[in-house]
Amino acid sequence: MSPATTNGLMVEILSGEKSATLKAGRPGSEILKEIAEKKIIKIPADILGFKVGDEIWDLHKEIPENSAALKVITPRDPEALDIIRHSTAHILAQAVKEIYPEVQVTIGPVIEQGFFYDFSKKGGFKEEELPAIEERMKAIIAKKLPVKREEWEVPKALKFFESQGEHYKCEIIRDLVAQNSVQTVSVYWHGQEFVDLCRGPHVPHTGWISAFKLMSVAGAYWRGNEKNEMLGRIYGTAFESPPSLKAYLARLEEAKKRDHRRIGVDQDLFSFHPEAPASPFFHPNGAFLYLRLVEFLRSLNKAHGFEEVISPLLLSQELWKNSGHYDNYRENMYFTKVDERDFAVKPMNCPGHCLIYKAGHHSYRELPMRLAEFGRVHRHERSGVTQGLFRVRTFVQDDAHVYCTEDQVEGEIANVLEMIRKFYKVFGFEYRMELSTRPEKSIGSDETWQKAEQSLKNALEKGGHSYRVNPGDGAFYGPKIDFHLKDSLERSHQCGTIQLDFSMPGRFGLEFSGSDNKSHTPVMIHKAIAGSLERFLGILIEHFAGHFPLWLAPLQAVVLTVSDDAANFAREIHELMKLKGFRVRMDDSSEKLAAKIKQFQAQKPPYFIILGGREAQSRTLSLRLKGNEQKQGVSVETFLAEFASLAEPQF
């Protein structure tokens, strides 16, 4: 049913297909109690809170009279995890305070896959302290302490937290007053044992938490500023049930086995060195993967009308001021001086492509102009956030820009959407799309932004694409469509992007002659499919656990002999495959078969070709594939034909 908005002091409660309209202006728990006592509608017994719009409210919060219809949240709803994890973070804070009374409590937000809490503790935390903290948390949970919300006037809150020596809480309250002019703040009690400054949401009592685990410790600067105190951070996770937690921990164990940094060493793909921090060195096997990916993207670009260009790595600082990057992105850029002139190492390719466009005179008949580049860029990332190939300081983007008329925008976006569909399909990725709208820090007029956002919406909806809106997460120069991949471990990765830019062409004075013989400014579309090739390779390595599809595998097959009488046949097969351009190795030594297989296992070739006297005599092949699948008696011709068919990306 459609949620109806409230009138006056009434609020509509939605539970499945049932609804009830009751008096607002009181906590949700009181409203539910009235529903249960009067049997107005049937509601679940395990309600954790309500959802109204994108907000989640717990049962402790007073429901304001101007609320829209409220949908109940139970542990079976995805929104419940926010409530469960936030409450578990507070139970962690209580446990830490009980064990270490001198510690100050700072903040403890919910994050993807769990939560963390930061504490001011001399020397931080050690991993071996976590079991004792977990045990104290279990004791707090076992008490089933009722959770209670209170609204305090700011002077009362400051006086209380100052008396407790919680100086960070006082700083947070003062910031709320300075930034939002608040007069009251909310606190949550666990019985009478613990109170914390918090806006919620929380479970009804601590006994609701049934499945949690503390995962790791780390250091973190207060407010992310390295000039501030280094705090001790504890990471944890919580789920609605023990089976869900167990499944999550099993996925984590599998993720460790798939860690691209580990596989990168095992398969000799890449390495990192202190002489170039957070900048990968690709070895021959890794470079092959890299270039094979570029080759595939090049073929897609060519098929969809893109032409490749090359632009310089170093461009003047004035260019980046003109583009808007200097004002909006300079903290992530590297600068240098050449011949007393200020330059920057490019963090993006777009301004260079604008200069290429500007080098000529263009008619509307030439548009759209589609320029692509595998351009290396450099971006300053703090050492604390760099991670393998996922977060590096130098990488190559499969970057492209389309210059077109306003009438051509939707068609060009449809063209790119089709490219992205083809690309992700080859790797077996499912993906979702987000339309990211204007951020607080942006350039361009309101009218321009509205027009750009509407153009992206039109292209998505006309193509029948489902998407969700991500407010305020657009680029500073325009709205964008972001593509979030789901890998084999159900993890999400943001990779591809389509960005619509009405601002940068005007800043660079780009023009084309229209059919009316007047000068017009083109629209610019920024396109990346893989995004950072380094990051995408990291995702691929973990997605496939190093078992790459045949066309991408650095080592496609290994020919192994079981006995000496198969040596000549093995050499023949090996040479035949090499002549056809396949990447194959051979071991015809007298070692045992198990030892031969073991030396190549880490490289995970798609095919082991195992040959003995019987195979040599019949001129057939025995094959061992992924998962120990085996095939015997395969003819050479059949095998080579099948092999060749899989040696290119499969659309």
Side-chain angles (χ1 to χ4, degrees):
M1 66 180 291
S2 307
T5 56
T6 60
N7 294 312
L9 294 173
M10 307 306 289
V11 64
E12 186 178 22
I13 308 296
L14 303 177
S15 177
E17 294 299 315
K18 305 291 184 181
S19 69
T21 304
L22 295 101
K23 183 181 176 183
R26 52 188 173 147
S29 56
E30 288 186 18
I31 293 176
L32 291 181
K33 185 178 179 181
E34 181 183 349
I35 291 174
E37 287 176 350
K38 296 182 179 179
K39 299 181 180 178
I40 299 171
I41 58 172
K42 187 175 181 180
I43 58 173
D46 55 351
I47 294 175
L48 280 173
F50 299 112
K51 184 176 184 183
V52 54
D54 292 326
E55 287 192 70
I56 298 172
W57 294 345
D58 59 34
L59 301 181
H60 313 286
K61 185 171 182 176
E62 184 174 292
I63 307 301
E65 59 185 85
N66 61 345
S67 307
L70 308 181
K71 175 185 175 294
V72 300
I73 298 173
T74 72
R76 294 167 293 285
D77 295 308
E79 296 87 357
L81 280 180
D82 273 3
I83 302 175
I84 290 167
R85 287 170 175 168
H86 195 79
S87 300
T88 310
H90 278 242
I91 293 171
L92 165 63
Q94 179 179 347
V96 168
K97 283 292 288 183
E98 289 180 1
I99 298 172
Y100 311 99
E102 75 284 0
V103 163
Q104 287 189 61
V105 180
T106 66
I107 58 170
V110 173
I111 56 174
E112 189 176 3
Q113 306 299 336
F115 60 87
F116 68 79
Y117 218 120
D118 287 345
F119 303 89
S120 176
K121 178 178 181 288
K122 188 176 180 179
F125 294 94
K126 297 180 175 61
E127 296 280 349
E128 51 264 32
E129 294 175 271
L130 296 185
I133 298 172
E134 280 191 347
E135 287 305 310
R136 186 62 64 95
M137 291 174 69
K138 289 175 183 176
I140 294 167
I141 290 167
K143 291 180 182 180
K144 296 185 179 179
L145 298 172
V147 176
K148 180 184 176 184
R149 176 190 172 100
E150 291 182 357
E151 292 281 337
W152 288 358
E153 297 287 335
V154 165
K156 177 183 177 179
L158 285 171
K159 183 178 179 180
F160 175 83
F161 286 110
E162 281 172 355
S163 72
Q164 299 295 307
E166 296 288 355
H167 305 301
Y168 285 97
K169 294 295 180 184
C170 294
E171 182 178 332
I172 293 168
I173 294 169
R174 292 189 184 100
D175 285 348
L176 288 172
V177 173
Q179 295 168 12
N180 302 312
S181 302
V182 301
Q183 297 179 4
T184 63
V185 294
S186 57
V187 298
Y188 280 80
W189 287 90
H190 291 171
Q192 295 298 314
E193 298 182 7
F194 178 73
V195 64
D196 201 356
L197 178 73
C198 185
R199 64 181 182 183
H202 285 279
V203 294
H205 60 77
T206 61
W208 271 79
I209 306 304
S210 63
F212 78 93
K213 184 169 180 59
L214 300 184
M215 306 299 296
S216 61
V217 300
Y221 292 110
W222 171 238
R223 305 215 185 242
N225 188 333
E226 57 196 26
K227 295 180 181 178
N228 292 335
E229 180 191 354
M230 173 68 78
L231 304 173
R233 175 173 294 181
I234 297 178
Y235 285 100
T237 192
F239 285 85
E240 80 287 355
S241 67
S244 295
L245 175 62
K246 184 178 179 181
Y248 171 73
L249 295 176
R251 288 197 301 273
L252 282 186
E253 284 303 310
E254 179 62 24
K256 288 179 184 176
K257 297 175 188 174
R258 293 169 177 256
D259 191 317
H260 71 280
R261 292 164 294 189
R262 175 181 171 180
I263 293 173
V265 172
D266 290 344
Q267 297 192 1
D268 195 24
L269 302 177
F270 57 85
S271 60
F272 287 88
H273 301 275
E275 291 82 358
S279 302
F281 290 72
F282 284 93
H283 302 190
N285 286 344
F288 171 83
L289 271 173
Y290 204 102
L291 295 173
R292 194 75 171 106
L293 188 61
V294 169
E295 183 183 321
F296 177 33
L297 286 161
R298 273 202 174 105
S299 69
L300 273 179
N301 280 337
K302 186 176 181 181
H304 286 261
F306 285 83
E307 296 182 293
E308 199 162 330
V309 296
I310 301 171
S311 62
L313 194 63
L314 209 60
L315 297 126
S316 77
Q317 187 172 286
E318 287 304 311
L319 175 103
W320 301 106
K321 288 181 177 179
N322 188 27
S323 70
H325 288 88
Y326 186 84
D327 291 333
N328 294 277
Y329 202 74
R330 67 175 176 270
E331 65 272 13
N332 298 102
M333 295 173 65
Y334 295 104
F335 295 93
T336 188
K337 194 178 283 286
V338 180
D339 295 334
E340 302 304 313
R341 189 177 173 193
D342 292 320
F343 283 81
V345 182
K346 69 176 177 181
M348 299 176 184
N349 298 297
C350 8
H353 291 189
C354 287
L355 294 182
I356 290 173
Y357 179 96
K358 195 174 182 179
H361 299 283
H362 305 285
S363 160
Y364 72 95
R365 294 186 180 88
E366 298 172 55
L367 303 184
M369 176 184 286
R370 307 182 185 103
L371 305 179
E373 179 177 8
F374 295 94
R376 179 158 297 281
V377 299
H378 290 72
R379 299 179 184 177
H380 176 64
E381 300 282 3
R382 291 182 179 178
S383 57
V385 300
T386 56
Q387 181 195 4
L389 296 179
F390 287 161
R391 200 79 175 261
V392 293
R393 290 178 174 169
T394 176
F395 56 91
V396 168
Q397 285 183 307
D398 64 313
D399 216 353
H401 298 93
V402 180
Y403 299 91
C404 62
T405 67
E406 286 190 29
D407 292 341
Q408 294 170 331
V409 165
E410 290 180 22
E412 289 305 300
I413 292 172
N415 182 42
V416 176
L417 286 170
E418 177 61 12
M419 293 176 72
I420 290 174
R421 184 196 68 79
K422 288 178 181 177
F423 182 77
Y424 294 156
K425 181 182 177 184
V426 164
F427 301 105
F429 284 125
E430 295 179 11
Y431 61 92
R432 61 178 172 83
M433 289 180 269
E434 281 186 357
L435 174 58
S436 299
T437 57
R438 186 176 191 173
E440 287 185 20
K441 199 174 183 181
S442 61
I443 57 177
S445 67
D446 291 346
E447 181 186 359
T448 296
W449 273 88
Q450 289 168 6
K451 183 166 55 175
E453 288 174 8
Q454 191 59 51
S455 294
L456 290 182
K457 285 179 184 177
N458 291 343
L460 286 166
E461 289 168 7
K462 287 180 182 179
H465 302 287
S466 61
Y467 67 95
R468 71 184 188 193
V469 177
N470 186 9
D473 200 44
F476 71 85
Y477 47 76
K480 58 180 180 171
I481 303 169
D482 286 329
F483 296 80
H484 296 261
L485 310 183
K486 188 167 71 174
D487 69 14
S488 55
L489 292 180
E490 303 291 314
R491 299 172 302 185
S492 179
H493 306 273
Q494 193 274 307
C495 292
T497 186
I498 303 172
Q499 302 171 357
L500 189 53
D501 188 348
F502 281 82
S503 296
M504 197 174 294
R507 293 171 78 95
F508 277 90
L510 306 188
E511 296 180 342
F512 68 90
S513 299
S515 56
D516 56 1
N517 290 321
K518 294 180 180 179
S519 291
H520 300 269
T521 302
V523 180
M524 186 176 180
I525 300 171
H526 305 246
K527 178 269 286 185
I529 299 178
S532 158
L533 297 191
E534 280 76 358
R535 181 167 176 267
F536 192 78
L537 280 174
I539 294 168
L540 280 185
I541 291 167
E542 296 193 1
H543 178 63
F544 290 118
H547 290 283
F548 300 108
L550 186 71
W551 69 274
L552 199 55
L555 179 61
Q556 293 178 311
V558 178
V559 181
L560 305 175
T561 56
V562 178
S563 55
D564 291 342
D565 54 358
N568 289 336
F569 184 48
R571 295 187 193 107
E572 180 185 337
I573 297 300
H574 179 242
E575 289 303 315
L576 182 59
M577 294 184 73
K578 285 181 67 178
L579 283 172
K580 290 184 176 292
F582 301 137
R583 300 176 298 283
V584 59
R585 291 180 63 185
M586 181 180 69
D587 186 345
D588 60 352
S589 70
S590 57
E591 288 282 346
K592 291 184 178 179
L593 180 63
K596 293 180 180 182
I597 291 174
K598 186 177 180 180
Q599 71 168 318
F600 290 107
Q601 256 177 341
Q603 296 179 57
K604 300 178 181 177
Y607 286 88
F608 283 100
I609 303 170
I610 300 171
L611 305 176
R614 182 178 60 185
E615 285 79 16
Q617 188 172 4
S618 62
R619 295 189 63 78
T620 60
L621 311 177
S622 289
L623 308 175
R624 179 173 168 176
L625 313 177
K626 180 183 174 183
N628 288 325
E629 179 188 354
Q630 297 188 23
K631 293 181 181 180
Q632 277 94 29
V634 180
S635 73
V636 175
E637 293 76 16
T638 299
F639 170 72
L640 290 176
E642 178 185 315
F643 203 94
S645 70
L646 297 174
E648 295 299 327
Q650 305 297 300
F651 288 101

